[in-house]
Amino acid sequence: MRLALLAAALLVPLAAAAAETRIPDRALEQAASLRERALADDTAWQVTESLTTEIGPRIAGSEADARAVAWAVAKFRELGFDKVWTEPVTFPKWERRSESAAVVGNNAQPLALTALGGSPGGTVEAEIVRFPDLAALEAAPEGSLAGRIAFVDYQMPASRDGSGYGPGSAIRSRGPSLAIRKGAIGFLMRSAGTDNHRVPHTGITRFDEGLTPVPSAALSIPDADQLARLAARGPVKVRMALDCGWDGEYTSQNVIGEITGRSRPKEVVLLGAHLDSWDLGTGAIDDASGIGITMAAARLVGQMPKRPARSIRVVAYANEEQGLLGGRAYAEKHAGEIALHQLSAESDFGAGRIYAFNTSGPEHAQAATRQIAEALAPLGIVHAPGEGSPGPDIIPLSAKGAAWAWLAQDGTDYFNLHHTADDTLDKVDPEALKQNVATWAVFAWLAAEAEGDFGSRPGPMPKPGN
Amino acid sequence: MRLALLAAALLVPLAAAAAETRIPDRALEQAASLRERALADDTAWQVTESLTTEIGPRIAGSEADARAVAWAVAKFRELGFDKVWTEPVTFPKWERRSESAAVVGNNAQPLALTALGGSPGGTVEAEIVRFPDLAALEAAPEGSLAGRIAFVDYQMPASRDGSGYGPGSAIRSRGPSLAIRKGAIGFLMRSAGTDNHRVPHTGITRFDEGLTPVPSAALSIPDADQLARLAARGPVKVRMALDCGWDGEYTSQNVIGEITGRSRPKEVVLLGAHLDSWDLGTGAIDDASGIGITMAAARLVGQMPKRPARSIRVVAYANEEQGLLGGRAYAEKHAGEIALHQLSAESDFGAGRIYAFNTSGPEHAQAATRQIAEALAPLGIVHAPGEGSPGPDIIPLSAKGAAWAWLAQDGTDYFNLHHTADDTLDKVDPEALKQNVATWAVFAWLAAEAEGDFGSRPGPMPKPGN
C-alpha cells in the first residue's frame, strides 16, 4: 500500500442543510449477531490462504497477475456473490529479473538489496556517498555526486498508525531524482522498513521528467548498517548489477463482486483491497489479507436474513503497488456515479487488529458515524473524530467527491514485512483476521442500512496530501 | 557449530588416586575484580564488530578466509598477546555460486532455498514426495523415489540447550544419502531452524561412499510451509538449479594467540572459537562472537597484576563448519601434549548469556570445578554436575584424552539465525557479550591458577556421541 495522510480540509462539513442520517434500531440490533457470526467465521483465512498459496507472488503484469484475476472471479462466485464482473486496467509493465551487489576491494562482501520498482537495469561500480536523510542529499552541492552512488541511510521508526513511513517512502520516491540531479550514477537507500532481517523492501519509484534514470535499489536493514560501518572507516566502493525495467503495456482487471441491495441496489457501500502484490513475497499482509477480509465480510452481510438496503460491492483492485492504477481506473469509469458510492473504504494496512473508526461524513452524517462506532466498540474499536484517510485505492474516488470510511488497523509490525520476501502467510494471525471481518461486516451492514447519506456528491474534493 | 551430545561415559572418574585439585584463595579473591573489569569491557564487541564488518562472510577456502587469517594474526598482536602463530589446516574446498528454485505448473512461484554444503551442482525438475520426518523417508520402499525429489518437512523445536537441533541436523547429514538409495534425483528439506523468515539455513552434508550425490538444498521455513500446503492439494513439481560444488584443495590456518604463564607456561588452558563462517551471513553469532569473547577474556587475564600460572591459549580454528577440520588438525598436531592441555573449551553457541558451567574433570577435580562455579554464580550461572559436552572443535582433542569445560550459553534464539543470511552483527547484544567475557575470563584465570590437574592424560577417551 501507499500511505496517504489526510489533508484536514477533507473533514470540513460539506452540506449543512442535509437531513440527519440515522441507522434504524432494527439494523443495529441485527449488527450484534452479525458481529458474533463473523468472529466465528474463518472464510477470510481460507481466502487469504488460497490466494497466497495457489497464486503466490503476483506483481502487476506478470503471468501470475492473470492467474490472480481468474482466481478472484472464481472465488467471488464460490462465495455466493450475486454479481461478479471485471473492468480492464491498462498500465506499463515493470519486471525484475535479477539483482546483486557487493562491496569491492579490501572488505569485499556481498550486499542484499532489491531494485526499486520502476528502476532501470544496469551495472554500476562506484564509490558511495552516505547521507543520513533526504535533507542531507538535497543539501549536497550540484555535481558533488558525479560518478558516485548516493546512499541515503535513513531509518524509519515503527508506529501503530504507520506515520513513520512518510519520510521512508519519500526517500524512495524522491531520492533517485535528487541524486541524479547531483550527478549520481546509482542510488541506494536503507529499506523503508522496521525489521532487522536480510530481506530488502522494494516499492515503486519515479524519475522526474527530463532525467536519465539510474539503477536504484534498497538495501536490507542489516546491509545498510554494514555499509554505514564500512563508510565510517573510509571510502567504500560498491558494485550493483540490476536486470529489470519497463517492458511494454499490460491490461489487467479490477475484479468486482456484489451483494445486491434489496431496496436501493444502485447505491453501494464499497469495500476495497488490492489483488496485486510485489514479487518478492506472496503478498499475504499486502494485500491478500485485505482481499480475504472484504470478501468474507460482504459474504456474511449477504447471508443476513434479508439483503441490506444498499448493495455491498467488493473491489479487488489491479496494480495498486505501482501507482493506484486500479483505483484510478475505477474512479474514471465510475466518475458519473459518485453520489451512488455512499461510503468507500479499503483494507490495505496488513492483518493487524482494527483499533479506530471514522468516516469523512459531513455534519449531517456524524450521528450515523457515531452509531457505527458504537456497534464496533465491543471489538475494541474507538471512534476517532477528525482522524483518518481514505485507503490508497479510494483516493482517486474520494478526490471526485466520494465519502470514505477509515477502519484503522494496528500497523506496528506492518513495516517489518511490507514489500519484502517475508510477506508470507505465516505472518497472518487468524484471530486478528476474524476481528477485522467482524468490523468490516458490521460497518458494511450499517452503512448499507443507513437512512440518509454520508455526503458523497460529484465535484472535486480537496486533494488529500501524501 | 555442530552439536555433539556427551556420552555419559565421558563423565566417569578417571583416576581416583590423584591428589585433589584446589584453587588458592588468593586467586579466588582476584577473580572478583577480574569479573567486574570484564563486565565493563567492550573489547569482545569491538573484535566481533571488526571481524564481521571488515571481513564479512568467510567460508572456508574463500578469498575472505585468507583475509580472516591475516585479520586474526593482527588482532591478537594488537590486543597484546605474548605469542601469536598459525598452524596449517588443509581441506577440500566447496563453493556456492548461484542457486534458485521454483514450483512449476499451475501454481508457479519461486522458492527460497540454499544448497547444503557439500552438495553437487545441477538442475533437476521433478515431482516432490513429502515426508514428515527422517523416519518416514527411511520407511519409503526401495525405488519409490525414482525420478522424484524427496522433501523432508520436519520442523525442529526451539530449546535453550539446542537439543532440538539433533533431529534437524540428522536430516541434513543423513537425508540426502537415504533419498538417493530410494531413487531420488534431488533432496529438499525444511531448514533446521526456528525462525519464520525467508532465509534458508545451510550446513554441511555428506554422501555415503558409493552413491552418486544429487543436488541437495534447504528451503526457508515459510517456503517449506508453502510447499507443504501445495503438496496437500495434489502433485507438485519443483525445479531446482544449484551451481556449487567441490573444487580442489585449500590450506587455511588455525590462528593461535597465547598469554604466557608465569610458572607453568607449557601447561595451557585452551579457549577456542572458530574463525570461518558460512557464506550467507557475516557469521556474527557463528562464530565472530566466540572469537570476540575468547580474545577479550584472555586479554583481560593477561592484564592481571601477575600473569596466570599456566598459559592461556586462544585458538581461532579454521573450517569448523565443514567438519571440524581446524579442530582435527589441532588435535593431530598436539596429540603428544594432551596432558599439557589442562582444560579446553569452545565458545560456539552464539552470543547469548551463559547459564551453566561444568567440567569433565574426574573426582579429584570436582572440588576445583565447584570453586570455579561458585566464582561464576554472581553472573547468574549454575553448576550443572553430570551435564555438558566439549565444544565442536574440542571434540577431537577430548577424544585423545583432554579434559574439557562447558560454559553453556542460552541458545533459545540461536537457531533463528544459525547458518542463515540473518547471522549479522545487529543480532548480538553487547551486554550479553560482556557477561560471556566475564565468565570466560574468570574460568580461564582460575583454571590457570589451580593447583593440581583436571584429568587430562593421553589415551583414547570414549568417543562422544552425536
Side-chain angles (χ1 to χ4, degrees), chain A residues 73-373:
Chain A
V73 169
K75 192 59 72 179
F76 275 126
R77 290 196 177 126
E78 179 190 327
L79 295 176
F81 280 70
D82 298 317
K83 286 191 219 159
V84 182
W85 73 97
T86 63
E87 297 176 356
V89 184
T90 299
F91 47 81
K93 174 181 167 185
W94 184 85
E95 261 192 345
R96 185 193 318 275
R97 292 175 288 267
S98 73
E99 51 200 14
S100 66
V103 172
V104 296
N106 289 340
N107 308 115
Q109 52 188 292
L111 293 170
L113 55 57
T114 194
L116 302 183
S119 172
T123 297
V124 292
E125 180 174 323
E127 210 171 280
I128 62 157
V129 182
R130 179 180 173 275
F131 299 97
D133 53 28
L134 198 61
L137 171 60
E138 211 151 6
E142 294 300 315
S144 62
L145 298 184
R148 311 288 182 88
I149 297 171
F151 168 38
V152 183
D153 192 24
Y154 171 80
Q155 175 59 55
M156 72 165 273
S159 59
R160 186 171 72 164
D161 67 356
S163 52
Y165 184 55
S169 64
I171 292 166
R172 200 180 67 220
S173 45
R174 296 185 50 222
S177 292
L178 268 176
I180 294 168
R181 289 183 200 285
K182 314 285 184 179
I185 60 170
F187 177 82
L188 281 174
M189 64 181 284
R190 176 183 288 260
S191 284
T194 52
D195 61 291
N196 66 347
H197 299 287
R198 301 289 296 284
V199 288
H201 299 236
T202 190
I204 197 72
T205 190
R206 298 269 172 233
F207 297 91
D208 294 347
E209 282 287 328
L211 299 180
T212 303
V214 301
S216 299
L219 292 160
S220 89
I221 286 161
D223 288 82
D225 290 346
Q226 183 82 334
L227 203 52
R229 282 190 294 267
L230 286 167
R233 284 163 158 86
V236 183
K237 195 177 265 194
V238 166
R239 181 179 190 277
M240 56 192 281
L242 308 183
D243 181 11
C244 58
W246 296 103
D247 182 21
E249 273 202 343
Y250 183 86
T251 297
S252 184
Q253 307 288 332
N254 286 334
V255 185
I256 304 172
E258 202 165 271
I259 303 294
T260 306
R262 70 176 186 279
S263 52
R264 285 169 284 170
K266 291 193 170 173
E267 296 183 17
V268 303
V269 176
L270 189 156
L271 317 186
H274 66 87
L275 189 55
D276 69 311
S277 77
W278 279 105
D279 53 334
L280 301 173
T282 62
I285 65 148
D286 187 15
D287 185 24
S289 53
I291 296 284
I293 290 162
T294 52
M295 282 186 175
R299 171 179 167 272
L300 285 167
V301 174
Q303 291 174 342
M304 297 291 279
K306 56 180 184 182
R307 283 282 190 271
R310 298 178 169 117
S311 294
I312 311 291
R313 180 179 294 180
V314 176
V315 184
Y317 290 101
N319 197 351
E320 184 273 345
E321 294 294 3
Q322 298 174 21
L324 321 180
L325 284 307
R328 291 178 205 274
Y330 183 91
E332 285 307 313
K333 185 173 175 68
H334 299 276
E337 304 154 20
I338 294 299
L340 296 176
H341 285 74
Q342 280 295 311
L343 265 181
S344 300
E346 185 170 30
S347 175
D348 183 23
F349 198 51
R353 285 171 192 269
I354 296 173
Y355 66 91
F357 173 77
N358 195 25
T359 76
S360 66
E363 193 58 33
H364 74 267
Q366 287 300 309
T369 296
R370 279 193 301 273
Q371 285 180 298
I372 298 175

Side-chain angles (χ1 to χ4, degrees), chain B residues 177-244:
Chain B
S177 291
L178 268 174
I180 294 167
R181 289 183 201 284
K182 313 286 183 180
I185 61 170
F187 177 81
L188 281 175
M189 65 181 283
R190 177 183 286 260
S191 283
T194 52
D195 61 292
N196 66 345
H197 300 286
R198 300 290 294 286
V199 287
H201 298 236
T202 190
I204 197 74
T205 190
R206 299 267 171 234
F207 297 90
D208 294 348
E209 281 286 327
L211 298 181
T212 303
V214 301
S216 298
L219 292 160
S220 89
I221 286 160
D223 288 84
D225 289 345
Q226 182 82 335
L227 204 51
R229 282 190 294 266
L230 286 168
R233 283 164 160 83
V236 182
K237 194 176 267 193
V238 167
R239 180 179 190 275
M240 56 192 281
L242 308 183
D243 180 11
C244 58

Side-chain angles (χ1 to χ4, degrees), chain B residues 269-272 341-347 356-361 369 372 376 387-392 394 398 402-408 440 443-444 447 454 456:
Chain B
V269 176
L270 188 155
L271 317 186
H341 285 75
Q342 281 293 314
L343 266 179
S344 299
E346 186 170 29
S347 175
F357 174 77
N358 195 24
T359 76
S360 66
T369 296
I372 297 174
L376 297 177
E387 291 186 41
S389 60
I394 309 301
S398 68
W404 47 262
W406 181 58
L407 293 80
W440 281 85
F443 154 70
F454 286 87
S456 293

Side-chain angles (χ1 to χ4, degrees), chain A residues 49 52-54 56 67 106-109 196-198 222 226 229-230 233 280 421-422 424-427, chain B residues 49 52-54 56 67 106-109 196-198 222 226 229-230 233 280-281 421-422 424-427:
Chain A
E49 195 266 2
T52 56
T53 302
E54 292 160 26
R67 279 195 285 126
N106 289 340
N107 308 115
Q109 52 188 292
N196 66 347
H197 299 287
R198 301 289 296 284
Q226 183 82 334
R229 282 190 294 267
L230 286 167
R233 284 163 158 86
L280 301 173
D422 259 349
T424 49
L425 183 64
D426 50 290
K427 313 306 187 304
Chain B
E49 194 266 3
T52 55
T53 302
E54 294 160 23
R67 278 194 286 129
N106 290 340
N107 308 115
Q109 53 188 291
N196 66 345
H197 300 286
R198 300 290 294 286
Q226 182 82 335
R229 282 190 294 266
L230 286 168
R233 283 164 160 83
L280 302 174
D422 259 349
T424 49
L425 183 64
D426 49 290
K427 313 306 186 304

